[in-house]
Amino acid sequence: MTESPKPAVLPVTIWATTGWLVGAAAAALVHGHLEGSKAAGIIGDFLHDIPAGEQDTDLRIRWPVADDVPVRVRLTARYVPEQGGFRYELTAETDRPRDWAWPSPLALFGPPYLLRDIRDQSTVARFTQPNPLPRTFGMRDWLRETSASPSSTCVLVHDGEGATFSDARLLEGLPPGLTGRVLEYRVFGAQRQSVNRLLQSTGVKLPAGGALVLPSRPPGSASNAETLADALRATREAEDRERTAAEELRDTRARFAALATTVRSRALAAALHTVGRRLQAAERDAEAGEEPLDAQTVEIVHLRSRLAAPRPASARALTTVVPNNWEELAHQTRSECVHLVLADITETTRPLRGHPLEQVWIRRTWQTLGTLNSYAAAKTAHGPRLLPHLAAYLRWPDAATLFPATRHAPRESARLMASPRLHEARCFPVPRTIHPSGRIFMGEHVRIGSGRPPAPRLHLYDDTGGRTGQIHIGYIGTHLPSLRTN
């Protein structure tokens, strides 16, 4: 399957940087520093792998950074003999937007004298002190590489006649979370004219005796709106791939079922075996196609939020971290999603527990619940003419949060609804103000997982236009009985 393009802008939940740890003993110093931090209770446990050679290192850390917010940190360092140091890649991911007042993840990996030697990998510049600008003949390549980096921000400071802060260091006034993300460059005298000629097409320039934050994209590259358009195209392609995989999975399952009921000979048995292998491959493709689509959907919401005006509080996405288990998911839903009514899911989620994909399903379920809550809030604010149903919200450009539209099924098929047994299996409790019997058919559902069973689903009843004004979640659990199992 085709790999989805990486986002041009890092999500607000990810802190990342890359560079160099100078010195052959740097990896050993990092490991020793982590042992001390663990003993002091600064970090939780950490995993240390040695993927290729005794000098390389791969570290994974759980870090309770603030207010019990868990941060997942990974540092991969590869020793480069010709440079006499380690090239590292560091990512720190949390489930809510990063607060720049938090300490820099780099502080986990070494004392100040080691951090002082961390350098940006493309410009060989240090993050902890001002850097000189490259010579004129290398300035164009430097600008292109620096402004294209998604993980670092470069600030130019002009030292010239009339400068008022020649001796001041910008880095000293930054919040701690920007250590390792901001590079300061000093531009001396006439270098300013050369820099401004290169920046001419961007519409910005470095003032005499002033400072400038370099554009975060190279001159001539796509604007944020164009990046959003590219992300939307990539999402449509990912949806097409997921749809194709799902269709192939359905066709292969149908052929497998037909062969299984008519097998009479060795030839048919061999054909059944072949189709069975294709079924397993189709199930793997269906599962593999979902993660890139999840990532692309999150990126679209992020890009839209940068273009849109500030939203009212009722329309904003939930900021709480993803629950660790189904009990936490139920508790957080009932305490935060004021527009949702969640049934007891203790028993229905039991078959999902312990599955290798359980955490993926919990994340997708939480994303789905957040989307449903945002949809109901937006419908209350804007009315049913703009947002008559969930499908309209999933296409709405101002949606605060989303799940892929290909996972939403507004209704069940007519053939399924004609079966009393299958119809009854999709009836769940609701207040009697909605239905006198206290139960109602919930054909609308969201696919949480695909591929082989349990393939979980979330079934709902949309009463946002009714008496309660809420969405009732009647079921979260394994795929309910269908025509194939009837």
Side-chain angles (χ1 to χ4, degrees):
M1 301 184 70
T2 305
E3 183 180 355
S4 297
K6 294 181 179 178
V9 179
L10 286 173
V12 294
T13 57
I14 293 179
W15 191 104
T17 190
T18 182
W20 294 88
L21 297 172
V22 178
L29 291 171
V30 164
H31 189 268
H33 189 77
L34 287 174
E35 290 285 4
S37 297
K38 179 183 175 183
I42 298 172
I43 63 173
D45 207 354
F46 65 94
L47 298 176
H48 182 211
D49 296 329
I50 304 177
E54 294 183 354
Q55 292 179 309
D56 296 347
T57 189
D58 192 345
L59 293 157
R60 294 176 178 87
I61 303 167
R62 285 186 64 82
W63 180 30
V65 62
D67 299 326
D68 295 325
V69 177
V71 180
R72 299 172 293 279
V73 184
R74 180 175 182 178
L75 177 78
T76 302
R78 300 288 179 264
Y79 185 65
V80 183
E82 57 269 26
Q83 296 290 337
F86 288 79
R87 187 188 187 285
Y88 73 86
E89 293 181 358
L90 187 151
T91 58
E93 183 178 7
T94 184
D95 294 309
R96 78 180 196 190
R98 181 167 185 81
D99 186 340
W100 294 109
W102 296 345
S104 167
L106 284 172
L108 295 176
F109 297 102
Y113 71 85
L114 181 63
L115 296 180
R116 187 181 61 221
D117 286 329
I118 292 176
R119 303 180 296 179
D120 177 71
Q121 52 95 11
S122 61
T123 60
V124 196
R126 300 194 177 190
F127 282 111
T128 52
Q129 65 185 51
N131 299 281
L133 212 61
R135 295 181 181 272
T136 304
F137 64 84
M139 196 177 293
R140 186 179 298 275
D141 291 339
W142 160 81
L143 178 63
R144 182 178 62 252
E145 293 175 11
T146 301
S147 58
S149 171
S151 61
S152 60
T153 299
C154 294
V155 180
L156 305 184
V157 178
H158 181 231
D159 275 350
E161 274 191 307
T164 59
F165 53 97
S166 295
D167 297 327
R169 291 191 175 185
L170 171 74
L171 299 172
E172 295 175 354
L174 295 177
L178 287 175
T179 300
R181 293 293 298 272
V182 176
L183 286 164
E184 180 181 354
Y185 285 89
R186 290 299 173 96
V187 181
F188 297 98
Q191 280 185 319
R192 186 175 70 90
Q193 283 74 30
S194 300
V195 169
N196 284 338
R197 279 195 297 271
L198 292 174
L199 293 174
Q200 190 170 5
S201 62
T202 68
V204 298
K205 64 179 182 179
L206 175 63
L212 170 70
V213 178
L214 278 181
S216 59
R217 59 186 179 89
S221 65
S223 65
N224 191 64
E226 291 167 339
T227 303
L228 175 58
D230 290 340
L232 289 169
R233 281 193 294 271
T235 298
R236 286 192 293 269
E237 292 171 0
E239 288 176 343
D240 289 342
R241 291 194 298 271
E242 186 183 48
R243 192 178 293 110
T244 299
E247 290 172 355
E248 183 177 349
L249 179 58
R250 283 194 296 270
D251 292 344
T252 307
R253 279 176 172 164
R255 291 183 60 191
F256 185 84
L259 281 171
T261 57
T262 61
V263 62
R264 292 292 185 275
S265 66
R266 288 185 178 180
L268 282 175
L272 179 64
H273 178 70
T274 300
V275 174
R277 292 179 62 183
R278 287 188 58 190
L279 176 59
Q280 292 178 356
E283 288 173 338
R284 287 194 299 269
D285 284 347
E287 291 175 356
E290 293 185 337
E291 287 301 299
L293 186 55
D294 282 342
Q296 201 64 47
T297 302
V298 172
E299 178 64 14
I300 284 174
V301 173
H302 172 66
L303 290 168
R304 281 177 175 174
S305 68
R306 296 184 66 208
L307 286 171
R311 296 187 177 97
S314 61
R316 290 176 189 157
L318 300 177
T319 57
T320 306
V321 297
V322 175
N324 292 312
N325 52 54
W326 297 105
E327 285 78 15
E328 285 187 11
L329 181 139
H331 174 73
Q332 289 179 201
T333 301
R334 294 185 180 111
S335 62
E336 298 181 39
C337 300
V338 297
H339 301 282
L340 305 184
V341 178
L342 179 63
D344 185 359
I345 60 172
T346 304
E347 292 301 319
T348 59
T349 57
R350 195 176 299 280
L352 309 179
R353 298 167 193 260
H355 193 281
L357 294 176
E358 182 184 13
Q359 290 303 315
V360 174
W361 294 336
I362 290 174
R363 170 171 55 79
R364 288 184 187 153
T365 302
W366 181 242
Q367 180 188 32
T368 300
L369 293 169
T371 299
L372 294 174
N373 192 66
S374 296
Y375 153 61
K379 188 169 183 175
T380 300
H382 299 283
R385 293 189 64 182
L386 177 65
L387 299 171
H389 42 62
L390 177 59
Y393 177 82
L394 295 176
R395 298 191 300 267
W396 189 39
D398 291 336
T401 185
L402 289 173
F403 58 81
T406 52
R407 296 183 188 152
H408 174 231
R411 64 188 66 83
E412 297 283 12
S413 67
R415 287 182 61 204
L416 185 146
M417 293 181 67
S419 167
R421 183 177 72 89
L422 300 182
H423 186 279
E424 177 60 25
R426 288 158 175 79
C427 290
F428 300 103
V430 291
R432 295 187 183 275
T433 54
I434 295 179
H435 197 278
S437 70
R439 291 173 65 84
I440 200 166
F441 178 75
M442 297 189 185
E444 186 172 6
H445 62 276
V446 179
R447 177 168 51 81
I448 303 301
S450 64
R452 66 186 63 188
R457 301 291 191 267
L458 179 153
H459 284 256
L460 64 106
Y461 178 74
D462 185 352
D463 194 45
T464 52
R467 291 187 177 183
T468 67
Q470 294 174 304
I471 296 174
H472 297 260
I473 314 298
Y475 177 84
I476 300 174
T478 61
H479 196 306
L480 292 171
S482 64
L483 292 168
R484 292 197 304 272
T485 58
N486 193 14

